[in-house]
Short mmCIF file of all heavy atoms in Angstrom, two decimals:
data_model
loop_
_atom_site.label_atom_id
_atom_site.label_comp_id
_atom_site.label_asym_id
_atom_site.label_seq_id
_atom_site.Cartn_x
_atom_site.Cartn_y
_atom_site.Cartn_z
N MET A 1267 0.83 -1.19 0.00
CA MET A 1267 0.00 0.00 0.00
C MET A 1267 0.87 1.25 0.00
O MET A 1267 1.94 1.27 0.57
CB MET A 1267 -0.90 0.04 1.23
CG MET A 1267 -1.95 -1.07 1.27
SD MET A 1267 -3.09 -0.83 2.62
CE MET A 1267 -4.19 0.31 1.86
N SER A 1268 0.35 2.26 -0.63
CA SER A 1268 1.08 3.52 -0.69
C SER A 1268 0.90 4.29 0.61
O SER A 1268 -0.17 4.30 1.21
CB SER A 1268 0.54 4.37 -1.85
OG SER A 1268 1.11 5.66 -1.81
N HIS A 1269 1.93 4.94 1.02
CA HIS A 1269 1.84 5.75 2.24
C HIS A 1269 1.22 7.12 1.96
O HIS A 1269 1.00 7.90 2.88
CB HIS A 1269 3.22 5.90 2.90
CG HIS A 1269 4.19 6.69 2.10
ND1 HIS A 1269 4.91 6.13 1.06
CD2 HIS A 1269 4.56 7.97 2.17
CE1 HIS A 1269 5.69 7.05 0.54
NE2 HIS A 1269 5.50 8.18 1.19
N HIS A 1270 0.89 7.41 0.70
CA HIS A 1270 0.27 8.69 0.34
C HIS A 1270 -1.26 8.63 0.35
O HIS A 1270 -1.92 9.64 0.20
CB HIS A 1270 0.74 9.16 -1.04
CG HIS A 1270 2.20 9.46 -1.08
ND1 HIS A 1270 2.74 10.54 -0.42
CD2 HIS A 1270 3.22 8.82 -1.70
CE1 HIS A 1270 4.05 10.56 -0.63
NE2 HIS A 1270 4.36 9.53 -1.40
N ASN A 1271 -1.82 7.43 0.53
CA ASN A 1271 -3.27 7.24 0.56
C ASN A 1271 -3.94 7.86 -0.66
O ASN A 1271 -4.87 8.66 -0.54
CB ASN A 1271 -3.87 7.82 1.84
CG ASN A 1271 -3.43 7.07 3.07
OD1 ASN A 1271 -3.30 5.85 3.03
ND2 ASN A 1271 -3.18 7.79 4.15
N ALA A 1272 -3.49 7.47 -1.83
CA ALA A 1272 -4.01 8.04 -3.08
C ALA A 1272 -5.50 7.79 -3.24
O ALA A 1272 -6.23 8.67 -3.70
CB ALA A 1272 -3.25 7.48 -4.27
N LEU A 1273 -5.98 6.63 -2.84
CA LEU A 1273 -7.39 6.33 -2.98
C LEU A 1273 -8.24 7.28 -2.13
O LEU A 1273 -9.25 7.82 -2.60
CB LEU A 1273 -7.68 4.87 -2.59
CG LEU A 1273 -9.13 4.44 -2.67
CD1 LEU A 1273 -9.65 4.59 -4.10
CD2 LEU A 1273 -9.30 3.01 -2.18
N ILE A 1274 -7.83 7.50 -0.91
CA ILE A 1274 -8.56 8.43 -0.03
C ILE A 1274 -8.54 9.83 -0.61
O ILE A 1274 -9.56 10.53 -0.61
CB ILE A 1274 -7.97 8.39 1.39
CG1 ILE A 1274 -8.23 7.03 2.02
CG2 ILE A 1274 -8.55 9.51 2.25
CD1 ILE A 1274 -7.56 6.82 3.34
N GLN A 1275 -7.40 10.25 -1.15
CA GLN A 1275 -7.30 11.59 -1.74
C GLN A 1275 -8.22 11.70 -2.95
O GLN A 1275 -8.90 12.72 -3.13
CB GLN A 1275 -5.86 11.88 -2.15
CG GLN A 1275 -4.93 12.06 -0.97
CD GLN A 1275 -3.49 12.26 -1.41
OE1 GLN A 1275 -3.21 12.45 -2.59
NE2 GLN A 1275 -2.57 12.20 -0.46
N MET A 1276 -8.28 10.67 -3.80
CA MET A 1276 -9.16 10.71 -4.97
C MET A 1276 -10.62 10.74 -4.56
O MET A 1276 -11.42 11.49 -5.12
CB MET A 1276 -8.88 9.51 -5.89
CG MET A 1276 -7.58 9.62 -6.65
SD MET A 1276 -7.37 8.33 -7.89
CE MET A 1276 -7.17 6.88 -6.87
N LEU A 1277 -11.00 9.93 -3.58
CA LEU A 1277 -12.38 9.93 -3.11
C LEU A 1277 -12.78 11.27 -2.50
O LEU A 1277 -13.88 11.77 -2.73
CB LEU A 1277 -12.59 8.80 -2.10
CG LEU A 1277 -12.52 7.38 -2.67
CD1 LEU A 1277 -12.57 6.36 -1.53
CD2 LEU A 1277 -13.63 7.15 -3.67
N ARG A 1278 -11.88 11.86 -1.76
CA ARG A 1278 -12.15 13.17 -1.17
C ARG A 1278 -12.33 14.22 -2.27
O ARG A 1278 -13.24 15.06 -2.20
CB ARG A 1278 -10.99 13.55 -0.24
CG ARG A 1278 -11.29 14.74 0.64
CD ARG A 1278 -10.19 14.99 1.66
NE ARG A 1278 -10.16 13.89 2.62
CZ ARG A 1278 -9.05 13.40 3.16
NH1 ARG A 1278 -7.88 13.88 2.83
NH2 ARG A 1278 -9.11 12.42 4.03
N MET A 1279 -11.48 14.16 -3.30
CA MET A 1279 -11.59 15.12 -4.40
C MET A 1279 -12.90 14.94 -5.16
O MET A 1279 -13.59 15.91 -5.48
CB MET A 1279 -10.41 14.96 -5.37
CG MET A 1279 -10.46 15.94 -6.53
SD MET A 1279 -9.17 15.66 -7.76
CE MET A 1279 -9.67 14.09 -8.43
N LEU A 1280 -13.29 13.70 -5.42
CA LEU A 1280 -14.54 13.44 -6.13
C LEU A 1280 -15.75 13.91 -5.32
O LEU A 1280 -16.70 14.47 -5.87
CB LEU A 1280 -14.67 11.94 -6.45
CG LEU A 1280 -13.69 11.43 -7.51
CD1 LEU A 1280 -13.79 9.92 -7.61
CD2 LEU A 1280 -13.95 12.09 -8.85
N CYS A 1281 -15.70 13.72 -4.02
CA CYS A 1281 -16.78 14.19 -3.15
C CYS A 1281 -16.89 15.72 -3.21
O CYS A 1281 -17.98 16.27 -3.31
CB CYS A 1281 -16.52 13.73 -1.73
SG CYS A 1281 -17.79 14.21 -0.56
N ARG A 1282 -15.75 16.39 -3.17
CA ARG A 1282 -15.75 17.86 -3.24
C ARG A 1282 -16.26 18.35 -4.59
O ARG A 1282 -16.98 19.34 -4.67
CB ARG A 1282 -14.35 18.40 -2.95
CG ARG A 1282 -13.95 18.23 -1.51
CD ARG A 1282 -12.53 18.66 -1.26
NE ARG A 1282 -12.19 18.46 0.14
CZ ARG A 1282 -10.95 18.43 0.60
NH1 ARG A 1282 -9.93 18.59 -0.23
NH2 ARG A 1282 -10.73 18.24 1.88
N LEU A 1283 -15.88 17.66 -5.68
CA LEU A 1283 -16.36 18.05 -7.00
C LEU A 1283 -17.88 17.87 -7.11
O LEU A 1283 -18.57 18.69 -7.71
CB LEU A 1283 -15.65 17.23 -8.08
CG LEU A 1283 -14.20 17.60 -8.34
CD1 LEU A 1283 -13.56 16.61 -9.30
CD2 LEU A 1283 -14.07 19.01 -8.86
N ASP A 1284 -18.39 16.80 -6.49
CA ASP A 1284 -19.85 16.60 -6.47
C ASP A 1284 -20.54 17.72 -5.72
O ASP A 1284 -21.57 18.24 -6.15
CB ASP A 1284 -20.20 15.26 -5.82
CG ASP A 1284 -19.93 14.08 -6.73
OD1 ASP A 1284 -19.76 14.29 -7.95
OD2 ASP A 1284 -19.88 12.95 -6.21
N LYS A 1285 -19.98 18.12 -4.59
CA LYS A 1285 -20.57 19.21 -3.81
C LYS A 1285 -20.55 20.52 -4.60
O LYS A 1285 -21.52 21.30 -4.56
CB LYS A 1285 -19.83 19.40 -2.48
CG LYS A 1285 -20.10 18.29 -1.49
CD LYS A 1285 -19.33 18.53 -0.20
CE LYS A 1285 -19.56 17.41 0.78
NZ LYS A 1285 -18.82 17.64 2.04
N LEU A 1286 -19.48 20.77 -5.33
CA LEU A 1286 -19.40 21.98 -6.16
C LEU A 1286 -20.45 21.95 -7.27
O LEU A 1286 -21.08 22.97 -7.56
CB LEU A 1286 -18.00 22.12 -6.77
CG LEU A 1286 -16.92 22.69 -5.86
CD1 LEU A 1286 -15.56 22.60 -6.55
CD2 LEU A 1286 -17.23 24.12 -5.50
N ALA A 1287 -20.66 20.79 -7.88
CA ALA A 1287 -21.65 20.67 -8.95
C ALA A 1287 -23.05 20.93 -8.41
O ALA A 1287 -23.85 21.63 -9.05
CB ALA A 1287 -21.57 19.29 -9.60
N VAL A 1288 -23.36 20.40 -7.24
CA VAL A 1288 -24.68 20.61 -6.63
C VAL A 1288 -24.86 22.09 -6.30
O VAL A 1288 -25.93 22.67 -6.53
CB VAL A 1288 -24.84 19.72 -5.38
CG1 VAL A 1288 -26.07 20.12 -4.58
CG2 VAL A 1288 -24.92 18.27 -5.78
N THR A 1289 -23.84 22.70 -5.75
CA THR A 1289 -23.91 24.12 -5.41
C THR A 1289 -24.11 24.98 -6.65
O THR A 1289 -24.93 25.90 -6.65
CB THR A 1289 -22.63 24.55 -4.67
OG1 THR A 1289 -22.46 23.72 -3.53
CG2 THR A 1289 -22.70 26.00 -4.23
N GLN A 1290 -23.39 24.67 -7.72
CA GLN A 1290 -23.54 25.43 -8.95
C GLN A 1290 -24.96 25.30 -9.50
O GLN A 1290 -25.56 26.27 -9.94
CB GLN A 1290 -22.53 24.95 -10.00
CG GLN A 1290 -22.61 25.72 -11.29
CD GLN A 1290 -21.62 25.21 -12.33
OE1 GLN A 1290 -21.04 24.15 -12.18
NE2 GLN A 1290 -21.45 25.97 -13.38
N ARG A 1291 -25.51 24.09 -9.47
CA ARG A 1291 -26.87 23.87 -9.95
C ARG A 1291 -27.88 24.66 -9.12
O ARG A 1291 -28.79 25.28 -9.64
CB ARG A 1291 -27.21 22.38 -9.93
CG ARG A 1291 -28.49 22.05 -10.66
CD ARG A 1291 -28.76 20.55 -10.73
NE ARG A 1291 -27.59 19.76 -11.11
CZ ARG A 1291 -27.07 18.79 -10.35
NH1 ARG A 1291 -27.61 18.46 -9.22
NH2 ARG A 1291 -26.00 18.14 -10.77
N ALA A 1292 -27.69 24.65 -7.80
CA ALA A 1292 -28.61 25.37 -6.91
C ALA A 1292 -28.52 26.88 -7.18
O ALA A 1292 -29.55 27.57 -7.24
CB ALA A 1292 -28.28 25.08 -5.45
N PHE A 1293 -27.31 27.40 -7.33
CA PHE A 1293 -27.15 28.83 -7.62
C PHE A 1293 -27.78 29.18 -8.96
O PHE A 1293 -28.39 30.24 -9.10
CB PHE A 1293 -25.68 29.22 -7.61
CG PHE A 1293 -25.07 29.34 -6.24
CD1 PHE A 1293 -23.72 29.55 -6.08
CD2 PHE A 1293 -25.85 29.24 -5.09
CE1 PHE A 1293 -23.15 29.67 -4.83
CE2 PHE A 1293 -25.29 29.36 -3.83
CZ PHE A 1293 -23.93 29.57 -3.70
N ALA A 1294 -27.62 28.32 -9.95
CA ALA A 1294 -28.21 28.58 -11.27
C ALA A 1294 -29.73 28.62 -11.19
O ALA A 1294 -30.37 29.48 -11.79
CB ALA A 1294 -27.76 27.53 -12.27
N GLU A 1295 -30.32 27.70 -10.42
CA GLU A 1295 -31.78 27.69 -10.27
C GLU A 1295 -32.29 28.93 -9.55
O GLU A 1295 -33.41 29.36 -9.77
CB GLU A 1295 -32.22 26.43 -9.53
CG GLU A 1295 -32.09 25.17 -10.36
CD GLU A 1295 -32.41 23.92 -9.59
OE1 GLU A 1295 -32.84 24.03 -8.41
OE2 GLU A 1295 -32.25 22.83 -10.15
N LEU A 1296 -31.46 29.51 -8.68
CA LEU A 1296 -31.85 30.71 -7.95
C LEU A 1296 -31.57 31.98 -8.75
O LEU A 1296 -31.83 33.08 -8.27
CB LEU A 1296 -31.12 30.77 -6.61
CG LEU A 1296 -31.52 29.71 -5.60
CD1 LEU A 1296 -30.60 29.75 -4.40
CD2 LEU A 1296 -32.96 29.92 -5.18
N GLY A 1297 -31.03 31.84 -9.95
CA GLY A 1297 -30.75 33.00 -10.79
C GLY A 1297 -29.46 33.71 -10.44
O GLY A 1297 -29.25 34.85 -10.84
N MET A 1298 -28.62 33.05 -9.68
CA MET A 1298 -27.39 33.70 -9.22
C MET A 1298 -26.20 33.44 -10.14
O MET A 1298 -25.11 33.93 -9.89
CB MET A 1298 -27.06 33.22 -7.80
CG MET A 1298 -28.12 33.58 -6.80
SD MET A 1298 -27.87 32.83 -5.19
CE MET A 1298 -26.44 33.70 -4.61
N MET A 1299 -26.41 32.68 -11.22
CA MET A 1299 -25.31 32.38 -12.12
C MET A 1299 -25.48 33.09 -13.47
O MET A 1299 -24.76 32.82 -14.41
CB MET A 1299 -25.21 30.86 -12.37
CG MET A 1299 -24.91 30.05 -11.13
SD MET A 1299 -23.28 30.33 -10.45
CE MET A 1299 -22.28 29.44 -11.60
N ASP A 1300 -26.46 33.98 -13.56
CA ASP A 1300 -26.70 34.70 -14.80
C ASP A 1300 -25.81 35.94 -14.84
O ASP A 1300 -25.73 36.68 -13.87
CB ASP A 1300 -28.16 35.12 -14.91
CG ASP A 1300 -29.09 33.91 -14.99
OD1 ASP A 1300 -28.63 32.85 -15.45
OD2 ASP A 1300 -30.25 34.03 -14.58
N GLY A 1301 -25.18 36.17 -15.98
CA GLY A 1301 -24.35 37.35 -16.13
C GLY A 1301 -22.99 37.20 -15.47
O GLY A 1301 -22.56 36.11 -15.13
N THR A 1302 -22.35 38.34 -15.25
CA THR A 1302 -21.02 38.35 -14.65
C THR A 1302 -21.10 38.77 -13.20
O THR A 1302 -22.14 39.22 -12.72
CB THR A 1302 -20.10 39.34 -15.40
OG1 THR A 1302 -20.63 40.66 -15.22
CG2 THR A 1302 -20.01 39.01 -16.88
N VAL A 1303 -19.98 38.66 -12.50
CA VAL A 1303 -19.91 39.08 -11.11
C VAL A 1303 -20.18 40.58 -11.01
O VAL A 1303 -20.88 41.05 -10.10
CB VAL A 1303 -18.53 38.72 -10.50
CG1 VAL A 1303 -18.38 39.31 -9.11
CG2 VAL A 1303 -18.34 37.23 -10.48
N VAL A 1304 -19.66 41.34 -11.96
CA VAL A 1304 -19.85 42.80 -11.94
C VAL A 1304 -21.34 43.13 -12.12
O VAL A 1304 -21.89 43.98 -11.41
CB VAL A 1304 -19.01 43.47 -13.05
CG1 VAL A 1304 -19.32 44.95 -13.14
CG2 VAL A 1304 -17.53 43.25 -12.79
N MET A 1305 -22.01 42.44 -13.04
CA MET A 1305 -23.44 42.68 -13.26
C MET A 1305 -24.24 42.34 -12.01
O MET A 1305 -25.14 43.07 -11.60
CB MET A 1305 -23.95 41.86 -14.44
CG MET A 1305 -23.42 42.31 -15.79
SD MET A 1305 -23.77 41.15 -17.13
CE MET A 1305 -25.51 40.89 -17.00
N TYR A 1306 -23.92 41.22 -11.36
CA TYR A 1306 -24.62 40.79 -10.16
C TYR A 1306 -24.40 41.80 -9.03
O TYR A 1306 -25.34 42.20 -8.34
CB TYR A 1306 -24.14 39.41 -9.74
CG TYR A 1306 -24.83 38.87 -8.51
CD1 TYR A 1306 -26.10 38.31 -8.60
CD2 TYR A 1306 -24.24 38.93 -7.26
CE1 TYR A 1306 -26.75 37.83 -7.49
CE2 TYR A 1306 -24.88 38.46 -6.15
CZ TYR A 1306 -26.12 37.91 -6.26
OH TYR A 1306 -26.77 37.43 -5.14
N THR A 1307 -23.15 42.24 -8.85
CA THR A 1307 -22.83 43.20 -7.80
C THR A 1307 -23.55 44.51 -8.04
O THR A 1307 -24.11 45.11 -7.11
CB THR A 1307 -21.31 43.44 -7.74
OG1 THR A 1307 -20.66 42.17 -7.56
CG2 THR A 1307 -20.94 44.35 -6.59
N ALA A 1308 -23.58 44.98 -9.28
CA ALA A 1308 -24.29 46.22 -9.60
C ALA A 1308 -25.78 46.09 -9.31
O ALA A 1308 -26.40 47.01 -8.77
CB ALA A 1308 -24.06 46.59 -11.06
N MET A 1309 -26.36 44.94 -9.63
CA MET A 1309 -27.78 44.72 -9.37
C MET A 1309 -28.05 44.76 -7.87
O MET A 1309 -29.01 45.39 -7.42
CB MET A 1309 -28.22 43.37 -9.93
CG MET A 1309 -29.67 43.04 -9.64
SD MET A 1309 -30.15 41.36 -10.06
CE MET A 1309 -29.05 40.40 -9.07
N ILE A 1310 -27.21 44.13 -7.06
CA ILE A 1310 -27.40 44.11 -5.62
C ILE A 1310 -27.25 45.52 -5.04
O ILE A 1310 -28.03 45.94 -4.18
CB ILE A 1310 -26.41 43.13 -4.95
CG1 ILE A 1310 -26.67 41.70 -5.42
CG2 ILE A 1310 -26.46 43.23 -3.44
CD1 ILE A 1310 -28.05 41.17 -5.09
N HIS A 1311 -26.27 46.28 -5.53
CA HIS A 1311 -26.05 47.65 -5.02
C HIS A 1311 -27.19 48.59 -5.37
O HIS A 1311 -27.41 49.57 -4.67
CB HIS A 1311 -24.72 48.21 -5.52
CG HIS A 1311 -23.54 47.72 -4.75
ND1 HIS A 1311 -23.39 47.89 -3.41
CD2 HIS A 1311 -22.45 47.02 -5.15
CE1 HIS A 1311 -22.26 47.35 -2.99
NE2 HIS A 1311 -21.68 46.80 -4.05
N THR A 1312 -27.91 48.31 -6.45
CA THR A 1312 -29.03 49.17 -6.83
C THR A 1312 -30.34 48.69 -6.21
O THR A 1312 -31.41 49.19 -6.55
CB THR A 1312 -29.18 49.24 -8.36
OG1 THR A 1312 -29.38 47.92 -8.87
CG2 THR A 1312 -27.96 49.89 -9.00
N GLY A 1313 -30.25 47.71 -5.30
CA GLY A 1313 -31.44 47.24 -4.61
C GLY A 1313 -32.15 46.09 -5.27
O GLY A 1313 -33.22 45.68 -4.83
N GLY A 1314 -31.60 45.56 -6.34
CA GLY A 1314 -32.22 44.43 -7.03
C GLY A 1314 -31.97 43.12 -6.30
O GLY A 1314 -31.13 43.04 -5.41
N GLU A 1315 -32.73 42.13 -6.67
CA GLU A 1315 -32.57 40.78 -6.12
C GLU A 1315 -32.57 39.78 -7.27
O GLU A 1315 -33.28 39.97 -8.24
CB GLU A 1315 -33.71 40.44 -5.17
CG GLU A 1315 -33.71 41.26 -3.90
CD GLU A 1315 -34.79 40.81 -2.93
OE1 GLU A 1315 -35.35 39.71 -3.14
OE2 GLU A 1315 -35.06 41.55 -2.00
N PRO A 1316 -31.78 38.72 -7.14
CA PRO A 1316 -31.80 37.70 -8.19
C PRO A 1316 -33.18 37.06 -8.25
O PRO A 1316 -33.82 36.85 -7.23
CB PRO A 1316 -30.74 36.70 -7.75
CG PRO A 1316 -30.50 36.96 -6.31
CD PRO A 1316 -30.88 38.37 -6.06
N GLN A 1317 -33.63 36.81 -9.46
CA GLN A 1317 -34.95 36.21 -9.65
C GLN A 1317 -34.76 34.74 -10.00
O GLN A 1317 -34.07 34.41 -10.96
CB GLN A 1317 -35.67 36.92 -10.79
CG GLN A 1317 -37.12 37.13 -10.51
CD GLN A 1317 -37.80 37.86 -11.65
OE1 GLN A 1317 -37.20 38.17 -12.67
NE2 GLN A 1317 -39.07 38.12 -11.46
N PRO A 1318 -35.37 33.85 -9.21
CA PRO A 1318 -35.24 32.42 -9.54
C PRO A 1318 -35.77 32.13 -10.94
O PRO A 1318 -36.69 32.80 -11.41
CB PRO A 1318 -36.11 31.74 -8.48
CG PRO A 1318 -36.18 32.72 -7.36
CD PRO A 1318 -36.13 34.08 -8.01
N ARG A 1319 -35.18 31.15 -11.58
CA ARG A 1319 -35.60 30.80 -12.95
C ARG A 1319 -37.07 30.45 -13.01
O ARG A 1319 -37.75 30.80 -13.96
CB ARG A 1319 -34.75 29.66 -13.48
CG ARG A 1319 -33.32 30.05 -13.73
CD ARG A 1319 -32.58 28.94 -14.42
NE ARG A 1319 -31.18 29.24 -14.43
CZ ARG A 1319 -30.57 29.92 -15.39
NH1 ARG A 1319 -31.26 30.37 -16.39
NH2 ARG A 1319 -29.28 30.15 -15.34
N ALA A 1320 -37.59 29.77 -12.01
CA ALA A 1320 -39.00 29.42 -12.02
C ALA A 1320 -39.86 30.67 -12.02
O ALA A 1320 -40.88 30.74 -12.71
CB ALA A 1320 -39.33 28.55 -10.81
N ALA A 1321 -39.46 31.69 -11.29
CA ALA A 1321 -40.22 32.95 -11.27
C ALA A 1321 -40.14 33.65 -12.61
O ALA A 1321 -41.12 34.23 -13.07
CB ALA A 1321 -39.69 33.85 -10.16
N ILE A 1322 -39.00 33.59 -13.26
CA ILE A 1322 -38.83 34.22 -14.57
C ILE A 1322 -39.76 33.55 -15.58
O ILE A 1322 -40.48 34.20 -16.32
CB ILE A 1322 -37.36 34.16 -15.04
CG1 ILE A 1322 -36.48 35.01 -14.14
CG2 ILE A 1322 -37.24 34.58 -16.49
CD1 ILE A 1322 -35.00 34.82 -14.36
N VAL A 1323 -39.76 32.21 -15.59
CA VAL A 1323 -40.61 31.47 -16.52
C VAL A 1323 -42.07 31.74 -16.21
O VAL A 1323 -42.87 31.98 -17.12
CB VAL A 1323 -40.29 29.95 -16.45
CG1 VAL A 1323 -41.30 29.16 -17.24
CG2 VAL A 1323 -38.89 29.69 -16.96
N THR A 1324 -42.43 31.75 -14.94
CA THR A 1324 -43.82 32.02 -14.55
C THR A 1324 -44.24 33.41 -14.99
O THR A 1324 -45.33 33.60 -15.53
CB THR A 1324 -43.99 31.87 -13.03
OG1 THR A 1324 -43.56 30.57 -12.66
CG2 THR A 1324 -45.42 32.08 -12.61
N ASN A 1325 -43.37 34.40 -14.80
CA ASN A 1325 -43.68 35.77 -15.22
C ASN A 1325 -43.83 35.86 -16.73
O ASN A 1325 -44.73 36.54 -17.23
CB ASN A 1325 -42.61 36.74 -14.74
CG ASN A 1325 -42.64 36.94 -13.24
OD1 ASN A 1325 -43.64 36.65 -12.59
ND2 ASN A 1325 -41.55 37.42 -12.69
N MET A 1326 -42.98 35.17 -17.47
CA MET A 1326 -43.07 35.19 -18.93
C MET A 1326 -44.37 34.53 -19.39
O MET A 1326 -45.06 35.04 -20.27
CB MET A 1326 -41.86 34.48 -19.56
CG MET A 1326 -40.58 35.26 -19.46
SD MET A 1326 -39.08 34.39 -20.00
CE MET A 1326 -39.61 33.31 -21.26
N MET A 1327 -44.73 33.40 -18.76
CA MET A 1327 -45.97 32.73 -19.13
C MET A 1327 -47.18 33.60 -18.79
O MET A 1327 -48.13 33.68 -19.57
CB MET A 1327 -46.07 31.37 -18.41
CG MET A 1327 -45.08 30.35 -18.94
SD MET A 1327 -45.10 28.81 -18.01
CE MET A 1327 -46.75 28.24 -18.29
N TYR A 1328 -47.14 34.27 -17.64
CA TYR A 1328 -48.23 35.15 -17.25
C TYR A 1328 -48.40 36.28 -18.26
O TYR A 1328 -49.51 36.61 -18.68
CB TYR A 1328 -47.99 35.70 -15.85
CG TYR A 1328 -49.03 36.68 -15.40
CD1 TYR A 1328 -50.27 36.24 -14.93
CD2 TYR A 1328 -48.80 38.06 -15.45
CE1 TYR A 1328 -51.24 37.13 -14.52
CE2 TYR A 1328 -49.76 38.95 -15.05
CZ TYR A 1328 -50.98 38.49 -14.58
OH TYR A 1328 -51.93 39.38 -14.18
N ASP A 1329 -47.27 36.87 -18.67
CA ASP A 1329 -47.32 37.94 -19.66
C ASP A 1329 -47.89 37.46 -20.98
O ASP A 1329 -48.70 38.15 -21.61
CB ASP A 1329 -45.92 38.53 -19.88
CG ASP A 1329 -45.41 39.30 -18.66
OD1 ASP A 1329 -46.25 39.68 -17.81
OD2 ASP A 1329 -44.20 39.50 -18.57
N LEU A 1330 -47.50 36.28 -21.41
CA LEU A 1330 -48.02 35.72 -22.66
C LEU A 1330 -49.52 35.47 -22.56
O LEU A 1330 -50.28 35.77 -23.48
CB LEU A 1330 -47.30 34.44 -23.03
CG LEU A 1330 -45.87 34.59 -23.54
CD1 LEU A 1330 -45.22 33.23 -23.69
CD2 LEU A 1330 -45.85 35.33 -24.86
N LEU A 1331 -49.95 34.90 -21.43
CA LEU A 1331 -51.37 34.60 -21.26
C LEU A 1331 -52.22 35.86 -21.19
O LEU A 1331 -53.31 35.92 -21.73
CB LEU A 1331 -51.59 33.75 -20.00
CG LEU A 1331 -51.13 32.31 -20.10
CD1 LEU A 1331 -51.27 31.62 -18.76
CD2 LEU A 1331 -51.95 31.57 -21.15
N THR A 1332 -51.73 36.90 -20.51
CA THR A 1332 -52.50 38.13 -20.41
C THR A 1332 -52.61 38.82 -21.76
O THR A 1332 -53.59 39.51 -22.02
CB THR A 1332 -51.92 39.09 -19.37
OG1 THR A 1332 -50.55 39.32 -19.67
CG2 THR A 1332 -52.05 38.52 -17.97
N ASP A 1333 -51.63 38.63 -22.62
CA ASP A 1333 -51.71 39.21 -23.97
C ASP A 1333 -52.80 38.55 -24.80
O ASP A 1333 -53.46 39.18 -25.59
CB ASP A 1333 -50.37 39.06 -24.70
CG ASP A 1333 -49.30 40.00 -24.13
OD1 ASP A 1333 -49.69 40.95 -23.42
OD2 ASP A 1333 -48.12 39.76 -24.39
N PHE A 1334 -52.99 37.23 -24.58
CA PHE A 1334 -54.01 36.51 -25.34
C PHE A 1334 -55.40 36.70 -24.78
O PHE A 1334 -56.39 36.55 -25.48
CB PHE A 1334 -53.67 35.01 -25.40
CG PHE A 1334 -52.53 34.72 -26.31
CD1 PHE A 1334 -51.33 34.25 -25.81
CD2 PHE A 1334 -52.65 34.91 -27.68
CE1 PHE A 1334 -50.26 33.99 -26.65
CE2 PHE A 1334 -51.59 34.64 -28.53
CZ PHE A 1334 -50.39 34.18 -28.01
N LEU A 1335 -55.53 36.98 -23.49
CA LEU A 1335 -56.87 37.10 -22.87
C LEU A 1335 -57.36 38.49 -22.92
O LEU A 1335 -57.32 39.44 -23.17
CB LEU A 1335 -56.82 36.63 -21.40
CG LEU A 1335 -56.44 35.19 -21.23
CD1 LEU A 1335 -56.33 34.86 -19.74
CD2 LEU A 1335 -57.49 34.27 -21.86
#
């Protein structure tokens, strides 16, 4: 056996990569991954809030439906 514990190091790295992927997906669903860091910071400083993707889709569908009715 290696004294560097390569298997443990690889498993730890894969676990961390999985956690990063989940975090990225959650941030994207909350609308926090749209645009650049500068755009996001400017939006926050002007009092804006990130809009979750579900809210964006719902708002777009509502607008489309109100146009037809």
Side-chain angles (χ1 to χ4, degrees):
M1267 294 188 83
S1268 172
H1269 66 278
H1270 295 291
N1271 294 322
L1273 179 60
I1274 293 173
Q1275 291 176 11
M1276 287 188 292
L1277 292 173
R1278 192 173 293 144
M1279 181 186 67
L1280 290 173
C1281 181
R1282 289 176 181 163
L1283 287 173
D1284 285 344
K1285 288 180 182 180
L1286 280 173
V1288 169
T1289 304
Q1290 181 182 13
R1291 191 175 314 122
F1293 284 173
E1295 288 175 5
L1296 292 172
M1298 298 172 70
M1299 297 293 284
D1300 296 333
T1302 64
V1303 173
V1304 174
M1305 291 169 52
Y1306 181 80
T1307 305
M1309 178 189 59
I1310 297 300
H1311 280 301
T1312 58
E1315 292 185 14
Q1317 220 179 3
R1319 291 187 191 271
I1322 293 169
V1323 171
T1324 304
N1325 290 341
M1326 287 173 32
M1327 289 175 63
Y1328 177 78
D1329 292 340
L1330 287 173
L1331 287 174
T1332 54
D1333 288 343
F1334 287 113
L1335 297 176

